[in-house]
Structures are given as structure tokens and as C-alpha cells.
Amino acid sequence: MNYIVLDLEWNQCPGGKRREEAQLPFEIIEIGAVRLDEDLRETGTFREIIRPQVYTRLHFRTRQIVHLTEADFEGRRAFPEVFRDFLAWCGEDPAFCIWGSSDLTELQRNIAWHGMEQPFPFPFFYYDVQKLFSIVYEDRKTRRSLEWAAQFLSLPEEQEFHDAYSDASYTARILQTIDPEVIRANSSIDCYRTPRSRKEEIRVTYPGYVKTISRPFADRYEAIRDREVSSTRCTFCGKPARKKIRWFSSGRNYHCLAWCEEHGWIKGKARMRLDREGRTYVVKTIRPATDQEALAIREKQEILRVKRRIRRQAGN
């Protein structure tokens, strides 16, 4: 297996959102990557600037961030040719590693816009190094910038940030500080492509929690009424846990609290998201909860009730 530590730079429409290509809001203009073996030893690098075909002028924000000008695109190859060579360079059975999740979304959008076949499996598991950094060095929840993490680890800043290859190199060096067992136990699931049916729904058990990705629904109300979406099974024994607080909304997210007679409190969070067709799907996490966390959910529900009551009274 190869770990492919990937970073992309992209451009957007210099004329603003009104003039952008709806199916390609961000066009990739550079691919940078570092290849690591199973023991996290570097075995190769990849860097290539890509000639844009849609947004040939740089957006002013792109110009501020990346270290490229229009002159750098002269004589460069287009995305399809570069990407095919990149895939060949990745080798067999690549495991993609990125800082955050947005690069994979934009990569797949670019692939689709160029009419190329999606080369990634479904479900598409990858490693979010930003998340792994938080698991190992912080609280599992905080998300830091790449530059912050590099400085935290006192990595030599030999290259400028916001360059595809440089950022891939920094990300790889951060990944090399993490135990491979921790990496393999904490994959992430890409949601550019989501389940289309109940049969395709994804359920993965991670250390300390269970994640489920549902099929699409017409809206969030239909989704939260679905029997599987609303279920709460204990993360330890897998048995149904009795709900003490049924699913309630806090915007586009839903929360619940349940009790397992053997293992105690279980809390659930259901994030409502829209797929590419505008339909609602659910990313649900179920995990154990402490007495303090259970109390916090009760307080959240009560605060929301009070706010709704005040809004209703103000409307009358």
C-alpha cells in the first residue's frame, strides 16, 4: 500500500459567481503529492502546474494566496493528461491523505467536468491528516491550519505555504509523526458520492463511535423519521438503547440521548447534508456519553425550547 499525501491549488472565476461554470466552481491549477510506504518512508514526489481551460485568468484571491501567475501556465499540460500521469505515479492500492476534506471534493468535481471516469472506489475511504493531528495532539474536535500544526511540531519551515507540493510535504511530515496504527484506525469517508439506496448505506465502527451515512431523502423531516436514521444502538454491545431525549433539531443538526442498561449513556448527532442533486442525506454519529455530556444535551434542548417559545410569543 502507498500513502499518497495530496495537496491541490485551484482557481475560481475572476468575474465572480454570476459568471462561473456551475459544475466547476474551482478549477485545479496545481497538483502536489508525496508518496509514503506502509512504514511512512518517503518513496517519491509529484508536482505539476496545470494549464486552466475554464478560468484562464487568476481570481484576485487566488493571486493573493498561491505563488503563481498566468505566465506559469504557458506550455503546461491540461488536467486530464496530468491526472492520468498522477494516477499512474500513485501505484496500486493508494491510500489518499489530505489536510481537511475539500481537496478531494474539488478533485472529483474536476474529474467529472472533464468527462473522465471516477477512479475512486465507493465508499471512498481516505485519511484526513488534520483530524489525525487533533486526535493525537489535541482534543479530537479542534481543527488547526496546516501552518499552525507545522509550527506546533517545530517542523523546519524550508518552503512557503500555499504551494501544492510544499503543503503536501508539510502534511507528509506531520503524518510521519503519527503511529501507523492510529492512522489506520481513524479513516474518513468522502461524501462527494453518497449512498443511493438503503443497500448502499455506510456504517463504520471507529474507536469510540459509530458513523452511518444514509441514502437520500426528500428533506430533513423525512430523514429523521426514517427508522434506521433515528435508531440508537449502543456502541459497545450493539443493542438498541432506550431514548431518554428523542431527536431534536438545532438548525440542520439533530441530537438525541439514549440509555443502555449495560453501558450507560449514549448520545447521537445527525448532520443533515445536501447531495449533488439537492436531496438530504444524513451523517449520523453515535458515541458513549458521560453524565456531564448527557446533562449538556438536556440543557441544549431546554434552551432551544425557551428560544422557540419566545419567538412564538413575539410573533403573536
Side-chain angles (χ1 to χ4, degrees):
M1 181 185 69
N2 292 318
Y3 290 106
I4 305 299
V5 187
L6 172 68
D7 192 85
L8 307 172
E9 298 297 343
W10 57 67
N11 188 28
Q12 62 194 72
C13 181
K17 289 191 70 65
R18 284 187 178 182
R19 298 183 180 181
E20 77 176 14
E21 167 60 51
Q23 302 303 315
L24 191 71
F26 301 102
E27 184 176 18
I28 294 172
I29 55 176
E30 186 179 12
I31 296 177
V34 176
R35 188 175 60 221
L36 306 176
D37 65 15
E38 291 183 348
D39 298 316
L40 303 180
R41 294 173 299 204
E42 184 177 315
T43 61
T45 60
F46 185 99
R47 182 195 180 188
E48 187 156 350
I49 296 171
I50 297 169
R51 184 182 77 252
Q53 297 177 278
V54 181
Y55 310 129
T56 55
R57 289 188 299 110
L58 291 174
H59 188 279
F60 75 94
R61 289 181 180 171
T62 307
R63 197 183 302 277
Q64 290 172 349
I65 295 171
V66 305
H67 310 291
L68 297 171
T69 67
E70 284 84 352
D72 293 308
F73 303 131
E74 295 178 6
R76 301 291 184 173
R77 300 189 296 169
F79 176 82
E81 188 176 359
V82 174
F83 184 66
R84 281 191 287 267
D85 283 354
F86 170 69
L87 280 181
W89 172 84
C90 289
E92 296 183 4
D93 195 24
F96 289 91
C97 310
I98 59 172
W99 191 265
S101 62
S102 57
D103 276 4
L104 284 184
T105 297
E106 301 313 324
L107 178 59
Q108 291 171 93
R109 279 181 178 165
N110 277 251
I111 293 169
W113 191 88
H114 284 281
M116 303 174 72
E117 183 180 351
Q118 290 288 348
F120 308 118
F122 178 83
F124 183 13
F125 291 91
Y126 69 99
Y127 296 102
D128 180 348
V129 185
Q130 186 183 50
K131 181 182 79 172
L132 292 169
F133 176 85
S134 183
I135 289 171
V136 174
Y137 296 107
E138 298 201 86
D139 59 1
R140 305 182 72 96
K141 298 179 182 179
T142 303
R143 296 295 183 262
R144 301 290 189 179
S145 70
L146 178 60
E147 187 171 0
W148 192 97
Q151 291 173 351
F152 175 85
L153 294 174
S154 300
L155 298 181
E157 295 187 20
E158 300 165 344
Q159 302 163 303
E160 291 187 277
F161 290 91
H162 304 299
D163 167 274
Y165 172 70
S166 297
D167 286 357
S169 179
Y170 284 117
T171 304
R173 286 152 67 187
I174 292 170
L175 188 67
Q176 288 173 321
T177 70
I178 299 173
D179 187 330
E181 292 297 323
V182 174
I183 297 171
R184 286 190 285 270
N186 290 281
S187 63
S188 295
I189 308 168
D190 177 73
C191 287
Y192 179 79
R193 288 180 292 162
T194 53
R196 314 315 296 165
S197 64
R198 185 179 292 279
K199 185 178 179 180
E200 288 187 351
E201 289 183 332
I202 302 165
R203 184 178 185 275
V204 183
T205 300
Y206 289 106
Y209 68 101
V210 175
K211 174 175 281 190
T212 304
I213 301 178
S214 79
R215 69 190 191 282
F217 298 91
D219 53 41
R220 61 191 179 117
Y221 304 107
E222 181 185 36
I224 204 63
R225 290 195 298 268
D226 179 75
R227 186 172 182 177
E228 185 59 35
V229 169
S230 63
S231 66
T232 49
R233 294 183 178 275
C234 176
T235 56
F236 295 104
C237 62
K239 296 177 182 178
R242 184 179 179 184
K243 287 190 182 66
K244 297 297 184 179
I245 296 180
R246 295 187 176 277
W247 292 97
F248 66 93
S249 170
S250 62
R252 293 201 64 84
N253 294 331
Y254 283 75
H255 306 268
C256 78
L257 183 66
W259 177 261
C260 173
E261 292 296 335
E262 185 176 353
H263 298 105
W265 291 116
I266 302 294
K267 65 177 181 177
K269 184 174 183 179
R271 297 174 177 87
M272 302 291 166
R273 296 181 178 176
L274 297 179
D275 65 15
R276 286 176 288 157
E277 285 75 45
R279 295 182 296 176
T280 298
Y281 70 97
V282 183
V283 179
K284 181 179 73 172
T285 53
I286 301 291
R287 64 181 76 227
T290 63
D291 289 344
Q292 185 176 2
E293 289 171 327
L295 178 61
I297 291 174
R298 292 184 183 277
E299 291 175 345
K300 180 191 287 285
Q301 184 191 43
E302 185 57 31
I303 289 170
L304 289 169
R305 280 177 176 169
V306 171
K307 287 182 177 179
R308 292 189 186 107
R309 191 181 308 125
I310 292 173
R311 284 197 295 267
R312 284 197 298 269
Q313 292 171 350
N316 294 331

mmCIF file of all heavy atoms in Angstrom, residues 1-4 35-36 38 86-96:
data_model
loop_
_atom_site.group_PDB
_atom_site.id
_atom_site.type_symbol
_atom_site.label_atom_id
_atom_site.label_comp_id
_atom_site.label_asym_id
_atom_site.label_seq_id
_atom_site.Cartn_x
_atom_site.Cartn_y
_atom_site.Cartn_z
ATOM 1 N N MET A 1 0.833 -1.196 0.000
ATOM 2 C CA MET A 1 0.000 0.000 0.000
ATOM 3 C C MET A 1 0.869 1.247 0.000
ATOM 4 O O MET A 1 1.887 1.305 0.688
ATOM 5 C CB MET A 1 -0.916 0.012 1.233
ATOM 6 C CG MET A 1 -1.845 1.219 1.294
ATOM 7 S SD MET A 1 -2.806 1.286 2.822
ATOM 8 C CE MET A 1 -1.524 1.638 4.022
ATOM 9 N N ASN A 2 0.472 2.253 -0.764
ATOM 10 C CA ASN A 2 1.129 3.553 -0.755
ATOM 11 C C ASN A 2 0.213 4.585 -0.106
ATOM 12 O O ASN A 2 -0.987 4.646 -0.412
ATOM 13 C CB ASN A 2 1.434 4.024 -2.188
ATOM 14 C CG ASN A 2 2.486 3.181 -2.870
ATOM 15 O OD1 ASN A 2 3.485 2.810 -2.267
ATOM 16 N ND2 ASN A 2 2.271 2.885 -4.144
ATOM 17 N N TYR A 3 0.768 5.397 0.797
ATOM 18 C CA TYR A 3 0.074 6.582 1.272
ATOM 19 C C TYR A 3 0.395 7.701 0.288
ATOM 20 O O TYR A 3 1.563 8.023 0.070
ATOM 21 C CB TYR A 3 0.531 6.979 2.666
ATOM 22 C CG TYR A 3 0.102 6.034 3.771
ATOM 23 C CD1 TYR A 3 1.011 5.168 4.365
ATOM 24 C CD2 TYR A 3 -1.211 6.034 4.239
ATOM 25 C CE1 TYR A 3 0.629 4.314 5.388
ATOM 26 C CE2 TYR A 3 -1.610 5.184 5.262
ATOM 27 C CZ TYR A 3 -0.684 4.330 5.828
ATOM 28 O OH TYR A 3 -1.074 3.485 6.834
ATOM 29 N N ILE A 4 -0.626 8.305 -0.297
ATOM 30 C CA ILE A 4 -0.438 9.417 -1.216
ATOM 31 C C ILE A 4 -0.897 10.685 -0.512
ATOM 32 O O ILE A 4 -2.098 10.904 -0.317
ATOM 33 C CB ILE A 4 -1.230 9.222 -2.523
ATOM 34 C CG1 ILE A 4 -0.867 7.887 -3.168
ATOM 35 C CG2 ILE A 4 -0.980 10.390 -3.466
ATOM 36 C CD1 ILE A 4 0.591 7.747 -3.559
ATOM 37 N N ARG A 35 4.628 10.512 -1.848
ATOM 38 C CA ARG A 35 4.256 9.102 -1.689
ATOM 39 C C ARG A 35 5.065 8.495 -0.560
ATOM 40 O O ARG A 35 6.284 8.635 -0.497
ATOM 41 C CB ARG A 35 4.522 8.339 -2.998
ATOM 42 C CG ARG A 35 3.990 6.911 -3.002
ATOM 43 C CD ARG A 35 4.192 6.265 -4.368
ATOM 44 N NE ARG A 35 5.601 6.229 -4.722
ATOM 45 C CZ ARG A 35 6.088 6.498 -5.947
ATOM 46 N NH1 ARG A 35 5.268 6.811 -6.931
ATOM 47 N NH2 ARG A 35 7.384 6.450 -6.176
ATOM 48 N N LEU A 36 4.347 7.805 0.369
ATOM 49 C CA LEU A 36 4.978 7.140 1.502
ATOM 50 C C LEU A 36 4.639 5.659 1.446
ATOM 51 O O LEU A 36 3.551 5.279 1.001
ATOM 52 C CB LEU A 36 4.480 7.726 2.826
ATOM 53 C CG LEU A 36 4.583 9.241 3.027
ATOM 54 C CD1 LEU A 36 3.942 9.636 4.359
ATOM 55 C CD2 LEU A 36 6.035 9.711 2.985
ATOM 56 N N GLU A 38 4.237 1.807 3.593
ATOM 57 C CA GLU A 38 3.453 1.418 4.775
ATOM 58 C C GLU A 38 4.105 1.848 6.075
ATOM 59 O O GLU A 38 3.427 2.014 7.095
ATOM 60 C CB GLU A 38 3.234 -0.090 4.777
ATOM 61 C CG GLU A 38 2.299 -0.574 3.684
ATOM 62 C CD GLU A 38 2.041 -2.064 3.761
ATOM 63 O OE1 GLU A 38 2.764 -2.749 4.518
ATOM 64 O OE2 GLU A 38 1.122 -2.544 3.076
ATOM 65 N N PHE A 86 -0.627 11.299 -12.898
ATOM 66 C CA PHE A 86 -0.613 11.283 -11.441
ATOM 67 C C PHE A 86 -1.119 9.951 -10.900
ATOM 68 O O PHE A 86 -0.516 9.359 -9.997
ATOM 69 C CB PHE A 86 -1.463 12.433 -10.895
ATOM 70 C CG PHE A 86 -1.708 12.367 -9.416
ATOM 71 C CD1 PHE A 86 -0.678 12.567 -8.514
ATOM 72 C CD2 PHE A 86 -2.980 12.082 -8.922
ATOM 73 C CE1 PHE A 86 -0.906 12.493 -7.133
ATOM 74 C CE2 PHE A 86 -3.218 12.011 -7.561
ATOM 75 C CZ PHE A 86 -2.179 12.219 -6.670
ATOM 76 N N LEU A 87 -2.221 9.443 -11.460
ATOM 77 C CA LEU A 87 -2.753 8.160 -11.011
ATOM 78 C C LEU A 87 -1.747 7.036 -11.231
ATOM 79 O O LEU A 87 -1.582 6.155 -10.378
ATOM 80 C CB LEU A 87 -4.054 7.838 -11.745
ATOM 81 C CG LEU A 87 -5.331 8.507 -11.250
ATOM 82 C CD1 LEU A 87 -6.514 8.043 -12.081
ATOM 83 C CD2 LEU A 87 -5.576 8.227 -9.771
ATOM 84 N N ALA A 88 -1.073 7.052 -12.370
ATOM 85 C CA ALA A 88 -0.056 6.028 -12.642
ATOM 86 C C ALA A 88 1.073 6.132 -11.629
ATOM 87 O O ALA A 88 1.604 5.104 -11.160
ATOM 88 C CB ALA A 88 0.474 6.181 -14.062
ATOM 89 N N TRP A 89 1.454 7.345 -11.261
ATOM 90 C CA TRP A 89 2.526 7.562 -10.277
ATOM 91 C C TRP A 89 2.103 7.045 -8.895
ATOM 92 O O TRP A 89 2.945 6.550 -8.131
ATOM 93 C CB TRP A 89 2.840 9.054 -10.212
ATOM 94 C CG TRP A 89 3.786 9.449 -9.123
ATOM 95 C CD1 TRP A 89 5.146 9.424 -9.145
ATOM 96 C CD2 TRP A 89 3.423 9.938 -7.814
ATOM 97 N NE1 TRP A 89 5.657 9.864 -7.946
ATOM 98 C CE2 TRP A 89 4.622 10.188 -7.116
ATOM 99 C CE3 TRP A 89 2.206 10.190 -7.185
ATOM 100 C CZ2 TRP A 89 4.638 10.671 -5.817
ATOM 101 C CZ3 TRP A 89 2.223 10.672 -5.892
ATOM 102 C CH2 TRP A 89 3.422 10.909 -5.215
ATOM 103 N N CYS A 90 0.807 7.135 -8.566
ATOM 104 C CA CYS A 90 0.325 6.701 -7.242
ATOM 105 C C CYS A 90 0.566 5.210 -7.016
ATOM 106 O O CYS A 90 0.765 4.780 -5.874
ATOM 107 C CB CYS A 90 -1.167 6.991 -7.103
ATOM 108 S SG CYS A 90 -1.569 8.747 -6.945
ATOM 109 N N GLY A 91 0.534 4.412 -8.072
ATOM 110 C CA GLY A 91 0.725 2.973 -7.921
ATOM 111 C C GLY A 91 -0.551 2.267 -7.526
ATOM 112 O O GLY A 91 -1.636 2.863 -7.453
ATOM 113 N N GLU A 92 -0.439 0.969 -7.258
ATOM 114 C CA GLU A 92 -1.612 0.171 -6.904
ATOM 115 C C GLU A 92 -2.005 0.379 -5.444
ATOM 116 O O GLU A 92 -1.160 0.584 -4.587
ATOM 117 C CB GLU A 92 -1.313 -1.314 -7.139
ATOM 118 C CG GLU A 92 -1.061 -1.665 -8.604
ATOM 119 C CD GLU A 92 -0.853 -3.145 -8.812
ATOM 120 O OE1 GLU A 92 -0.982 -3.916 -7.833
ATOM 121 O OE2 GLU A 92 -0.554 -3.542 -9.951
ATOM 122 N N ASP A 93 -3.307 0.305 -5.205
ATOM 123 C CA ASP A 93 -3.864 0.375 -3.851
ATOM 124 C C ASP A 93 -3.413 1.621 -3.093
ATOM 125 O O ASP A 93 -2.922 1.534 -1.969
ATOM 126 C CB ASP A 93 -3.477 -0.889 -3.061
ATOM 127 C CG ASP A 93 -4.304 -1.048 -1.795
ATOM 128 O OD1 ASP A 93 -5.426 -0.496 -1.750
ATOM 129 O OD2 ASP A 93 -3.825 -1.701 -0.848
ATOM 130 N N PRO A 94 -3.583 2.832 -3.675
ATOM 131 C CA PRO A 94 -3.166 4.038 -2.947
ATOM 132 C C PRO A 94 -4.155 4.397 -1.842
ATOM 133 O O PRO A 94 -5.366 4.229 -1.980
ATOM 134 C CB PRO A 94 -3.163 5.107 -4.040
ATOM 135 C CG PRO A 94 -4.198 4.644 -5.009
ATOM 136 C CD PRO A 94 -4.139 3.135 -4.999
ATOM 137 N N ALA A 95 -3.642 4.903 -0.742
ATOM 138 C CA ALA A 95 -4.467 5.436 0.345
ATOM 139 C C ALA A 95 -4.214 6.937 0.383
ATOM 140 O O ALA A 95 -3.104 7.383 0.692
ATOM 141 C CB ALA A 95 -4.094 4.790 1.670
ATOM 142 N N PHE A 96 -5.228 7.722 0.054
ATOM 143 C CA PHE A 96 -5.047 9.161 -0.074
ATOM 144 C C PHE A 96 -5.124 9.840 1.293
ATOM 145 O O PHE A 96 -5.983 9.521 2.113
ATOM 146 C CB PHE A 96 -6.083 9.746 -1.033
ATOM 147 C CG PHE A 96 -5.833 9.356 -2.463
ATOM 148 C CD1 PHE A 96 -6.416 8.219 -2.998
ATOM 149 C CD2 PHE A 96 -4.971 10.100 -3.248
ATOM 150 C CE1 PHE A 96 -6.166 7.845 -4.301
ATOM 151 C CE2 PHE A 96 -4.706 9.735 -4.559
ATOM 152 C CZ PHE A 96 -5.304 8.600 -5.091
#
